[in-house]
Amino acid sequence: MSLKNSKILVTGVAGFIGSHLCFNLLDTDVSILGVDNLNNYYDPELKKNRLIRINNKVSKMELDSQNYRFENIDLR
C-alpha cells in the first residue's frame, strides 16, 4: 500500500511513538498534521525537544506547511 499524497493525522506527536512515526513519515510524500496538548504527564521539555527535532528535519528537507504542521490542541 502506498501512502503517496496521503494526509495523515498524528496525535500525540510530541510523545515517543508519535514523534518517531512523524519523523519517519517525513521521508515519504505525505502531508502530516501533528497534534499534541503538551501536558505535563511526561516531561514537557522532552516533548519540546522532540518537536524541535522534527522541525529541524523539516527545515533540512526544505519542506513547508503543506508537508508538516503542528497544532497544540487537546482533542478531548
Side-chain angles (χ1 to χ4, degrees):
M1 179 173 104
S2 174
L3 294 177
K4 189 172 182 160
N5 298 319
S6 296
K7 295 179 182 180
I8 299 176
L9 170 67
V10 178
T11 59
V13 73
F16 180 80
I17 294 171
S19 64
H20 283 81
L21 173 62
C22 184
F23 200 78
N24 287 308
L25 283 172
L26 288 171
D27 293 327
T28 64
D29 192 14
V30 298
S31 296
I32 303 167
L33 172 59
V35 299
D36 203 299
N37 65 358
L38 300 176
N39 64 26
N40 61 358
Y41 188 77
Y42 295 106
D43 182 7
E45 285 303 311
L46 187 57
K47 292 179 179 187
K48 289 176 186 174
N49 288 335
R50 289 178 182 141
L51 292 174
I52 289 169
R53 183 173 175 243
I54 292 169
N55 285 326
N56 287 342
K57 183 168 185 170
V58 168
S59 295
K60 286 180 185 175
M61 295 177 72
E62 297 181 357
L63 301 175
D64 58 26
S65 62
Q66 297 279 326
N67 300 97
Y68 172 74
R69 188 172 55 131
F70 170 73
E71 293 290 332
N72 182 355
I73 57 176
D74 188 341
L75 294 178
R76 289 182 287 164

